[in-house]
Amino acid sequence: MRKIKELIVVEGKHDKDKLEKLIDADIICTNGLALSEQQLEVIVQASKVRGIIVMTDPDYPGKKIRDMINDKVDKAKQVFIAKEKAIGKRNVGIEYAADDDLLEALEKAVTFDKSNKESIAWSQYLSLGLINNKSKREYVCSQLHLGKCNNKKLFKYLNMLNYDYDRVKEKADEYDRQYCTDDGNIKKV
């Protein structure tokens, strides 16, 4: 069983139970959107001492909790699990993901650092062709293990991760080679 030193933040008890079967780590539950100021303070302190890993559900409440934590914490590892890999009988959650998918997601954790200066300019971001192409944006997010993002969130995440223009352009170009014809239209699959 793999030991993880960082404090892992999940939404609920079932998420915690699932992870405790896979890894040896301290895990705190936010109880969904009921994240208290006291819990948030524990998370902030843990981030300074041992680090934290935010692993919330791939849905709106999960994104909201992730944002609440990221607003208070300068550096946090982020684990994203694809929504289609976390679908249960009635809703979406970490608890429904396959063990291998969770372990793989933990391996691909990314670290957000708010102290980073802008690594990619807005004009560069615009030149990538992500603004009006949701499919391309989702591909880039997937390849960089960022979950689904709108344009504003993706731009923010790219800078928090200190990704430079060339790295993001490489992923955008991969999409174009795989899914676009020479005249810019989508290939029929």
Side-chain angles (χ1 to χ4, degrees):
M1 189 176 286
R2 182 174 161 214
K3 171 79 173 147
I4 295 179
K5 74 173 179 95
E6 295 93 349
L7 175 68
I8 298 180
V9 180
V10 297
E11 288 183 56
K13 182 184 180 329
H14 297 292
D15 300 332
K16 180 180 178 184
D17 293 344
K18 174 91 173 190
L19 286 175
E20 285 177 334
K21 293 176 185 173
L22 302 174
I23 56 173
D24 180 10
D26 292 324
I27 302 171
I28 187 171
C29 298
T30 68
N31 300 316
L33 287 169
L35 177 63
S36 70
E37 283 299 320
Q38 182 181 7
Q39 288 173 311
L40 197 51
E41 186 56 34
V42 168
I43 293 167
V44 168
Q45 290 308 313
S47 74
K48 294 175 183 176
V49 176
R50 62 193 280 197
I52 63 166
I53 298 174
V54 180
M55 191 173 194
T56 56
D57 296 343
D59 57 9
Y60 176 77
K63 289 176 187 174
K64 185 100 170 138
I65 294 164
R66 189 180 299 275
D67 289 344
M68 289 167 62
I69 293 168
N70 288 333
D71 284 345
K72 298 282 186 183
V73 174
D74 287 333
K75 277 189 178 181
K77 284 186 180 176
Q78 309 289 325
V79 173
F80 295 94
I81 188 98
K83 191 172 193 172
E84 56 273 5
K85 292 184 177 184
I87 296 175
K89 289 181 181 168
R90 293 155 99 203
N91 39 7
V92 173
I94 297 296
E95 66 188 278
Y96 303 115
D99 295 353
D100 290 342
D101 290 335
L102 290 174
L103 293 172
E104 181 183 348
L106 277 165
E107 289 296 321
K108 294 179 179 178
V110 294
T111 303
F112 286 175
D113 185 351
K114 291 192 309 190
S115 65
N116 284 339
K117 295 202 173 9
E118 191 174 88
S119 60
I120 182 170
W122 182 246
S123 60
Q124 291 175 311
Y125 182 81
L126 291 174
S127 74
L128 295 169
L130 302 173
I131 292 289
N132 294 320
N133 191 334
K134 183 178 179 183
S135 175
K136 185 175 187 178
R137 186 173 62 249
E138 287 178 353
Y139 177 84
V140 169
C141 289
S142 167
Q143 294 301 301
L144 297 175
H145 313 292
L146 299 176
K148 289 189 178 179
C149 302
N150 62 25
N151 281 299
K152 183 178 176 183
K153 182 75 70 181
L154 178 56
F155 180 71
K156 179 180 177 182
Y157 282 3
L158 293 174
N159 281 295
M160 288 172 76
L161 291 163
N162 204 28
Y163 285 166
D164 65 7
Y165 173 76
D166 292 333
R167 181 170 183 187
V168 182
K169 184 173 183 341
E170 177 185 316
K171 298 303 177 189
D173 289 348
E174 278 176 21
Y175 174 87
D176 291 340
R177 283 190 299 275
Q178 283 184 336
Y179 300 105
C180 296
T181 61
D182 290 337
D183 61 1
N185 292 319
I186 300 296
K187 289 180 182 176
K188 290 186 169 60
V189 183

